[in-house]
Amino acid sequence: MKHSALPFFAGHHRQERLGARTVFSPLPVMTNVPPVRRTDWLTRKHSHYIELGGAGGSLFQTQILYSFWVLGLLLFASAFWGPPGSGLSDGQGWAGVWAGHYQEVWIGPNQWVMEFSWMNFLGTVLLLGMGPGFALFITIKMLWEHQQQLRRVLPFRFHRQRREVMLSRWDKRTRRTEVRIFPWEDMCAMVGEGSAVSVSGVMTMASLFFGINSDERPGYFWSGMNVGTLSKEVGAGEWEMIRRYMEEGPEAIDEPAPVTFDGMIEEFCRERKIPRCAFSPLRRLWWELNGTRFGILRINIQSRLQQRFAERYFAAHPEQAAWSEPLPPEQWAKPSERLTRCNQLLAEQYAQGRTIFTVGDVRELLGEVITAEEEQVLAP
């Protein structure tokens, strides 16, 4: 299957006002970036294929939702209790709220009675219920949509012996899961890093994207995966993990680790090359308070849901399950001459201390012509 070319290539770097983007593939070349050994979205590893997907990214999303609820609870407590004379309960708890539903009504000269006000009651219900109700709606909506996505889309499978990738997507028109197989060297990957400026400072965010071009809509992606990452360098290391598995073998990466609290601490220490004893008690306390345990629980639940869907799907589609089987060595696919030549040229560049972030568009190394239309699209 021939795919329409996308307007970027490995090594292309685009700098924008508040962000930057670096392309790693098409043509998955060496990056000269230290690879990570595993990630939370590496869900399965075999000698001939790996699966990427699961609930990667759910941890950060869960922490955001958790913070949203905690902040709402603090605001509610502040408005509910408050100091006497200003809080909704006048400092008396629910008894004070209930007492506030009564108001004095004049019935004659110097004659007042306390009557229950349904308007005050309705106002209290709306005031107390609007915030939690909105928060509950947003939380349920996000959890439901993510769960539905995991029930509809298979983890991406990278088959190193075939040098092919199995991707899937949910077709809204036919309401079914669509699965296709693409060449590994056609896979697109890039890392983007952006900054958000506010009165309190600058916040930097990064994400790694990999996917495949669409034949039906040239210039668009047929399917892809976007995962948040700490920085563009970490994103490059995560892509390099995939590339090394495909090019060097299963020894290049570690087994997927169960997502546990202790496991995350060990992963944190290993990425920063510090001993476990150097993990700060204050950081552990912050992890305990910021919803990390809820995120871990959610990741494990949602990962099991997707695995169950994958098992049912492949049981119903044996021809695609057969694609995942190992091949005898004589049938293993080989890297293209173009990729081999490009890596040889890059090795000379990397020997001078460069990386994929500084080497430039690798088509220039290969002596390939970049059309005027492509230069116009790629120009920042």
Side-chain angles (χ1 to χ4, degrees), residues 251-268:
E251 298 79 12
I253 65 174
D254 290 342
E255 296 289 335
V259 182
T260 63
F261 193 80
D262 286 340
M264 291 191 63
I265 293 177
E266 292 177 1
E267 192 74 17
F268 179 90

Side-chain angles (χ1 to χ4, degrees), residues 37 45-48 160 244-245 248-254:
R37 297 289 299 185
K45 171 194 167 184
H46 297 283
S47 61
H48 55 292
R160 61 175 304 271
R244 290 203 181 187
Y245 170 83
E248 300 176 11
E251 298 79 12
I253 65 174
D254 290 342

Side-chain angles (χ1 to χ4, degrees), residues 97-108 111-121:
V97 174
W98 185 256
H101 296 154
Y102 289 85
Q103 62 183 13
E104 289 185 323
V105 178
W106 183 80
I107 59 175
Q111 297 183 30
W112 299 82
V113 297
M114 299 295 294
E115 289 188 358
F116 185 82
S117 173
W118 287 101
M119 291 300 297
N120 288 354
F121 177 76

